[in-house]
Amino acid sequence: MVFQWFHSTAYMMDDEVGSLVEKLKPQFVTKWLKTVCEVRFDVMVMCLLPKPVEFARVGGYWDKSCSTVTQLKEGLNRILCLIPYNVISQPLWECFMPEWLEAIRTEVPDSQLKEFREVLRTISSLQINEPEKVSLS
């Protein structure tokens, strides 16, 4: 649900509330997510897979009936919203991104592949950082 919140708030208006939410992300939420990644790397990977475990299928496109193609596009956009906050480390990326590429290869009809072109281009141009240690204090 936290990943869905990042995705939803990425498109907020640039007003007082939007500004406040953007301040909360790096101050609290990203620190918490990085700690989760350190303590339970496996859970973080499971939540970021194209077909995550059942407990991670909450909110957004999981709450509505939509095609696999839509689920894949929305999932990639959700990951795209996490990258600027350095939540996605290189080791994490290396665990889940091959699964995404395989899902696109096997589950997206050729006629719909062009719908992924822009998000994949954007994701591939971003810098994924090495993990940093998070202080719990």
Side-chain angles (χ1 to χ4, degrees), residues 6-18:
F6 264 85
H7 183 248
S8 297
T9 58
Y11 303 104
M12 289 183 72
M13 294 178 66
D14 193 19
D15 59 6
E16 187 176 336
V17 173

Side-chain angles (χ1 to χ4, degrees), residues 37-114:
C37 194
E38 269 185 32
V39 175
R40 290 300 310 264
F41 184 83
D42 59 327
V43 171
M44 196 75 152
V45 170
M46 286 188 283
C47 290
L48 291 168
L49 292 172
K51 295 195 183 286
V53 291
E54 198 64 36
F55 67 78
R57 297 180 185 199
V58 178
Y61 54 89
W62 295 114
D63 286 347
K64 53 188 172 188
S65 180
C66 58
S67 70
T68 301
V69 172
T70 300
Q71 289 174 354
L72 290 172
K73 283 192 307 189
E74 290 293 318
L76 283 173
N77 280 317
R78 188 181 62 192
I79 289 169
L80 186 61
C81 292
L82 294 170
I83 291 173
Y85 298 95
N86 294 324
V87 172
I88 307 295
S89 65
Q90 188 70 36
L92 192 58
W93 178 266
E94 291 170 2
C95 285
F96 71 77
M97 191 45 78
E99 299 287 331
W100 278 95
L101 296 175
E102 181 65 15
I104 292 168
R105 188 184 72 76
T106 59
E107 298 182 37
V108 178
D110 290 345
S111 62
Q112 292 182 289
L113 282 173
K114 65 181 176 277

